[in-house]
Amino acid sequence: MPAGPPHVVSGPEPGAPVSTWNIANALTVARLVIVPVFIVFLFVEGQGWRLAALAVFLVASITDQLDGWLARRYGLITDFGKIADPIADKALIGSALVCLSLLGELAWWVTAVIIARELGVTLLRFAVIRHGVIPASYGGKVKTVLQILAIALYIWPGVPEFARWTSLGLALLVTVVTGLDYVFRAVRLRQVAKRSRA
């Protein structure tokens, strides 16, 4: 008997509405739920708990990459995801930075610079949302990966300080540069929206 056509997995038909409740958004919400677990593990003394905190942090970070890939691969991109995904990222990164600073392992000025940038970009997105949604840029994704790497090296016991500071310095540089890029993109978005209304 001849074989049937190969099974192809695809997303919704072009133009079809995408449900907010999809696997990509579910992973984003799960990342938010994992954050308190990570915080508890990080504050419990003992190398085993420290490694557990690292494992939870890395699992949460992987969901960041996975939900974005699923959304693009299967056409599950929604306005909720565009907003919730970066918020979940900021909750994870921000909590890690604050906890490390509270533990005396990371300078507060570093935490302040990164969190100020993240909050500023989030507020900027909400300020211009009536004109349109600013999706995460490629530079923003690189910034997130570099921040994850730097934080992981700080959580991991026994990593040389040189390796920690090198990764953190690069993450800080990209964080500031991409923050300025979001400002320029928001300004352009407002200008385009005003010209469209005119």
Side-chain angles (χ1 to χ4, degrees):
M1 185 166 58
H7 178 65
V8 178
V9 178
S10 61
E13 292 295 327
V18 179
S19 172
T20 300
W21 300 108
N22 59 59
I23 183 62
N25 289 343
L27 286 173
T28 299
V29 174
R31 189 158 68 257
L32 282 168
V33 174
I34 288 175
V35 170
V37 178
F38 161 71
I39 293 173
V40 171
F41 284 1
L42 192 58
F43 275 100
V44 180
E45 293 185 8
Q47 183 165 313
W49 288 105
R50 188 71 173 216
L51 292 174
L54 176 62
V56 171
F57 177 77
L58 291 176
V59 168
S61 301
I62 289 171
T63 67
D64 173 41
Q65 305 303 313
L66 183 58
D67 62 10
W69 178 83
L70 287 171
R72 292 186 298 272
R73 173 67 177 80
Y74 297 106
L76 301 177
I77 298 173
T78 64
D79 285 345
F80 172 82
K82 290 178 182 178
I83 297 298
D85 181 67
I87 289 176
D89 296 343
K90 289 167 180 53
L92 178 65
I93 298 296
S95 63
L97 293 169
V98 170
C99 288
L100 288 170
S101 292
L102 287 171
L103 290 168
E105 300 176 26
L106 184 65
W108 275 106
W109 72 265
V110 174
T111 296
V113 168
I114 295 178
I115 289 182
R117 183 272 188 200
E118 303 299 348
L119 289 177
V121 168
T122 300
L123 292 174
L124 188 63
R125 277 176 156 166
F126 280 115
V128 300
I129 198 169
R130 65 182 181 276
H131 303 301
V133 174
I134 305 177
S137 66
Y138 177 75
K141 295 180 186 302
V142 172
K143 175 267 306 178
T144 300
V145 171
L146 291 174
Q147 288 179 353
I148 289 170
L149 174 61
I151 290 170
L153 292 180
Y154 271 85
I155 297 174
W156 199 337
V159 174
E161 288 299 315
F162 174 77
R164 289 174 171 173
W165 268 105
T166 299
S167 62
L168 183 62
L170 187 57
L172 276 171
L173 176 63
V174 178
T175 295
V176 173
V177 170
T178 55
L180 294 174
D181 176 62
Y182 274 107
V183 172
F184 295 139
R185 291 169 68 192
V187 170
R188 287 198 300 269
L189 181 62
R190 287 193 62 182
Q191 290 174 343
V192 169
K194 287 181 178 179
R195 285 198 296 267
S196 299
R197 288 197 300 269

